[in-house]
Amino acid sequence: MNQMSQAQAVPRSIRTIPEYRGLLSWVSSVDHKQIGIMYLLGALLFLLLGLVEATLIRIQLAVPENTFLSPDSYSQIFTMHGTTMIFLVGMPLMLGLSVYFVPLMIGARDMAFPRLNAFGFWIFLFGGFLLYFSFMSGSAPLAGWFAYAPLNEKAYLFNSGQDYWVIALLLTGAGSIATAINVIVTVFTLRAPGMNFRRLPLFVWMTTINSFLILFALPALNTALVMLFADRQLDALFFVSAKGGSALLWQHYFWFFGHPEVYILILPVFGIISEVIPVFARKPIYGYGFLAGSTVAIAFLSFAVWAHHMFATGLGFPVYYVFAGASMLIAVPTGIKIFNWIATMWGGSIRFTTSMLFATAFLIQFTIGGLSGVAFAAVPIDWQLTDSYFVVAHFHYVLLGGMLFGIISGIYYWYPKMTGHFLSEKLGRAHFWLMIIGFNGTFFVMHLMGLFGMPRRVFTYPADIPYLAPMNMLSSCSAAVLMLSLLIFFANLIVSLYRGEQASDNPWEGWTLEWATSSPPPPHNFDKVPYIRNRRPLWDQLHPDLPEARLEAEHEAGGASR
């Protein structure tokens, strides 16, 4: 029986679903593709706000003893920038790509719970708007995105900004948990015929593991937020050490969530890279099993490293040894992935499209961020560099150099599928090279600032510390280049939507099921869902004479004769 004869045709009732048109069809939609696009648009809106805040921060720090911003204004902008980039940009970008592509990649017609999908998006958006409404309440939150106790308590912050911060994060967290449940149930129950877990696309694999991470990590943050709200509104005193509480307890809760959160933001990016590199290297992914298995290992180990963020709090040497060991150990499965991607590229016939350029840059910059992270696993080094700008450099190499470069690679890869048009390669290359220059100019020098003693979370610095002034000026000028590159990216997204070159259904000759349908996909996703016999269903349909398909057919024929 051939693949097409086993394909599932779309039922007549589903084929008659009308095309979505008009604003109301978007607002009232439960279609996973529209909700995914709305997640992405919401994230890009907040990315613009985050970039404006970053610009203000870099203007303030461009010269020593600057008075462009007051200390309170700087703290508010600094807090909103961190909170925005983590919770309102990173998370929804990841969730948007997940809810758009997971059903398509497993041959499903929608998410398992479409209404829950819509609920997750709208509650995220409402939480984001509520956070920014705090500016109108008199003061935005200003305790940092980590909001350490006791600075987050009412004794230090009288205004309501911190309360808005608590409620906003509870809302966005509820949306993330709802979407995580939806992704897990969708992958477990709606896979195409023949698609077992050994044939899942790696993006789906990593998104699924990531959803379990969300389920186990976010409750710790939500619990701490409820306790903080009780402290501020009901004098519960959970985090007030002078009244019998524990300020350190906040850090335990926060980092038990916070370190897995890094992987929550990066695991879907690992999935994107695992889809992009093989397609543009024209080779099957090297070490599929290791890539999938190392993701599970990362998920487990991410819950065993939170205290390495607290080495300076006096936890004691037995605790240091355990968490230092775990923090070094988690680099092993991450390093396995890097070698797998390099081995996939090795000997391949690489096409350096803009998507592939961003994927390659991801490998380099994420590795730099990872190596500086391993350095923090060594307690003496952590003591020397904690709360310095070296940490800022490490953090941005992982999350901006890793997460954002990877997601942009995915957007250039999947934009033709979502819109039916290519993004401009000419604008894309200008975007890429300016972003490389701007990103590394902005953040690499921060390693040196940290080594020269510049503390983070400060609104200014003295003029007499050697080299800090020129290095900060270099960082701020490079940040302007980085902003320009992202403006080109936004322009490319808009211009290409109307004037971009028309894309075919499978313009990159991709292998996974999302390329089996039209660009953009119809409301019912597929006219026919093919039976899945391997990890590359489209490649084998297009190239039945190549060794992998032939060997597989011979293997099946041998099995039948036996």
Side-chain angles (χ1 to χ4, degrees), residues 175-247:
S176 299
I177 289 173
T179 304
I181 293 170
N182 216 348
V183 168
I184 292 170
V185 177
T186 300
V187 172
F188 273 78
T189 62
L190 298 181
R191 299 190 308 280
M195 181 178 280
N196 56 37
F197 278 90
R198 289 176 299 170
R199 294 171 180 170
L200 277 182
L202 280 167
F203 178 74
V204 178
W205 244 109
M206 297 188 191
T207 300
T208 306
I209 299 300
N210 198 49
S211 298
F212 280 106
L213 261 182
I214 291 173
L215 287 188
F216 286 102
L218 273 179
L221 175 65
N222 291 347
T223 301
L225 292 172
V226 171
M227 293 166 72
L228 175 60
F229 196 72
D231 271 13
R232 293 180 58 83
Q233 300 300 323
L234 304 173
D235 292 328
L237 308 177
F238 287 114
F239 304 121
V240 182
S241 301
K243 301 286 182 65
S246 170

Side-chain angles (χ1 to χ4, degrees), residues 130-183:
L130 188 68
L131 180 67
Y132 273 84
F133 184 77
S134 64
F135 276 114
M136 301 181 191
S137 72
S139 173
L142 67 162
W145 77 274
F146 38 83
Y148 281 161
L151 296 177
N152 56 13
E153 294 284 348
K154 212 159 191 174
Y156 296 91
L157 297 175
F158 298 108
N159 60 56
S160 58
Q162 202 63 33
D163 299 310
Y164 279 100
W165 184 84
V166 169
I167 297 171
L169 293 198
L170 280 171
L171 291 173
T172 59
S176 299
I177 289 173
T179 304
I181 293 170
N182 216 348
V183 168

Side-chain angles (χ1 to χ4, degrees), residues 7 31 100 109 152 180 315 374 437 453 483 497 532:
D31 180 88
Y100 192 105
R109 304 207 181 281
N152 56 13
L315 294 174
V374 173
I437 295 168
M483 302 302 166
L497 184 62
I532 307 302

Side-chain angles (χ1 to χ4, degrees), residues 14 69 145 318 355 370 509:
I14 295 178
L69 294 174
W145 77 274
S355 176
E509 297 184 349

Side-chain angles (χ1 to χ4, degrees), residues 69 110 165 197 254 279 300 365 400 505 507 548:
L69 294 174
D110 207 324
W165 184 84
F197 278 90
F254 188 84
V279 168
F300 276 109
Q365 292 169 169
L400 198 60
D505 293 348
E548 182 175 333

Side-chain angles (χ1 to χ4, degrees), residues 12-33:
R12 180 183 295 275
S13 60
I14 295 178
R15 275 206 308 271
T16 56
I17 296 175
E19 294 287 339
Y20 298 110
R21 296 181 186 281
L23 180 62
L24 183 61
S25 75
W26 286 85
V27 174
S28 61
S29 178
V30 293
D31 180 88
H32 72 98
K33 299 180 291 297

Side-chain angles (χ1 to χ4, degrees), residues 307 310-311 313-325 377-380 383:
M310 303 165 61
F311 281 163
T313 60
L315 294 174
F317 280 100
V319 176
Y320 296 154
Y321 297 148
V322 171
F323 283 93
V379 178
W383 282 346

